[in-house]
Amino acid sequence: MYKQAAKVIKNAERVTAFTGAGISVESGIPSFRGKDGLWSKYNPEFLEIDYFYSNPKRSWELIREIFYDFFGESEPNAAHYALAEMEKNNLLKTVITQNIDNLHTIAGNTNVLEFHGSSRDLICIECSKKYPCIESRLYSLPPKCSCSGILKPDFIFFGEQIPEPAQSLSFAEAELVDVLILIGTTGEVMPAALIPYKAKENGAVIIEVNTRESNYTNDITDIFLIGKATDVMKELQKKLGIG
Ligand code: NAD
């Protein structure tokens, strides 16, 4: 399976990765759902946009604790670095990620489409001015813009639109790829979940990396590499001759 995956990647003109929460689990960031997921510990209402507008301080207290104090300590793992190495060796064009943790960029990928935005920046809900999220901005909550508007993390909350141009660029990329590598995604979050189907419709080979079967596995996946993202991607890197 690994040899076959490596061959398909080497022979392709355009290979892209589509990643979800599973790729960052080994960096210490839990996924949302499941037994150890964030929603087993927290009520997700603090990430609903209407709740944020009516309770910005309460919402921000949890956002700071989870997405900045806790996730902020995380570093890329071997799977993130494998994708960066593939890009350096012209074996990967783009990473489309549903994650908001910025770990692909930190690992060294330069062409990253952040479908749900990123925790890296804050955005004013009044004037849309953006600020890099440095620690001191979160000393007093909620953080404020120079126009006095409230700042929110520049990732989407439940009830918000997918940011542009990430959405259109991601779907356009799905139409261009010969190979799409899915890593650590269930395929349950819409509309991101449609990207692999769009790629398949356009003739792409789908390689999937996951610890267990997802919505895609028995439907559109051509090569299923079962296992933890770090183990699988290290092995794939070796087979590609770049490990
Ligand atoms: P999900 O939580 O629905 O599913 C995670 C998937 O990863 C599952 O299929 C699981 O089997 C797999 N997985 C778990 N550990 C793995 C490992 N070590 N190696 C390989 N696969 C592993 O994730 P989703 O499909 O990305 O959807 C959840 C939504 O929540 C997305 O929008 C995502 O961006 C967001 N989210 C992001 C982060 C983050 O930024 N790191 C964390 C949690 C949730």
Side-chain angles (χ1 to χ4, degrees):
M1 283 298 219
Y2 282 93
K3 271 194 190 158
Q4 195 193 345
K7 192 172 164 197
V8 165
I9 291 170
K10 279 183 172 171
N11 289 340
E13 277 187 17
R14 195 174 182 111
V15 179
T16 278
F18 175 64
T19 66
I23 194 171
S24 295
V25 165
E26 293 167 85
S27 289
I29 303 181
S31 60
F32 281 166
R33 287 178 286 271
K35 188 168 63 67
D36 301 317
L38 277 180
W39 303 154
S40 65
K41 229 170 126 193
Y42 298 96
N43 181 340
E45 73 176 358
F46 73 98
L47 283 186
E48 282 165 16
I49 195 64
D50 292 344
Y51 183 91
F52 180 82
Y53 280 122
S54 27
N55 307 277
K57 189 169 184 337
R58 178 70 196 125
S59 184
W60 254 113
E61 281 163 358
L62 284 171
I63 292 167
R64 180 173 64 187
E65 178 184 322
I66 300 168
F67 293 95
Y68 294 94
D69 295 346
F70 174 36
F71 287 14
E73 296 292 307
S74 301
E75 291 180 357
N77 63 46
H80 297 102
Y81 286 119
L83 292 178
E85 208 50 43
M86 285 176 67
E87 185 192 301
K88 270 190 216 136
N89 287 276
N90 294 320
L91 293 169
L92 187 78
K93 184 76 185 166
T94 306
V95 177
I96 303 171
T97 188
Q98 298 166 80
N99 296 342
I100 49 122
D101 56 29
N102 199 28
L103 293 182
H104 289 297
T105 304
I106 297 172
N109 280 105
T110 60
N111 195 15
V112 182
L113 295 173
E114 293 168 322
F115 199 83
H116 292 151
S118 160
S119 58
R120 188 177 46 244
D121 295 322
L122 304 177
I123 183 164
C124 176
I125 62 174
E126 301 294 341
C127 71
S128 301
K129 184 172 174 186
K130 285 194 189 187
Y131 297 82
C133 188
I134 49 170
E135 202 182 341
S136 57
R137 283 202 207 284
L138 303 186
Y139 286 162
S140 157
L141 296 179
K144 297 268 180 69
C145 178
S146 54
C147 79
S148 320
I150 290 173
L151 299 176
K152 83 177 258 298
D154 194 19
F155 56 73
I156 57 156
F157 282 33
F158 299 117
E160 280 194 295
Q161 294 290 319
I162 304 295
E164 285 293 1
Q167 174 164 225
S168 9
L169 290 175
S170 300
F171 279 100
E173 181 65 21
E175 292 187 11
L176 294 174
V177 293
D178 305 310
V179 177
L180 189 67
I181 309 174
L182 319 182
I183 310 178
T185 180
T186 48
E188 285 175 19
V189 177
M190 287 293 183
L194 298 174
I195 291 169
Y197 292 103
K198 177 61 79 188
K200 184 75 178 181
E201 256 170 48
N202 284 277
V205 174
I206 307 293
I207 299 176
E208 180 176 12
V209 178
N210 203 312
T211 46
R212 57 171 187 263
E213 289 183 357
S214 71
N215 286 355
Y216 302 114
T217 316
N218 295 309
D219 195 6
I220 57 165
T221 296
D222 296 292
I223 304 175
F224 185 41
L225 303 175
I226 190 163
K228 291 185 177 175
T230 54
D231 295 339
V232 172
M233 291 308 291
K234 276 195 268 187
E235 189 55 33
L236 186 59
Q237 215 184 322
K238 257 195 242 159
K239 292 284 184 293
L240 288 168
I242 56 168

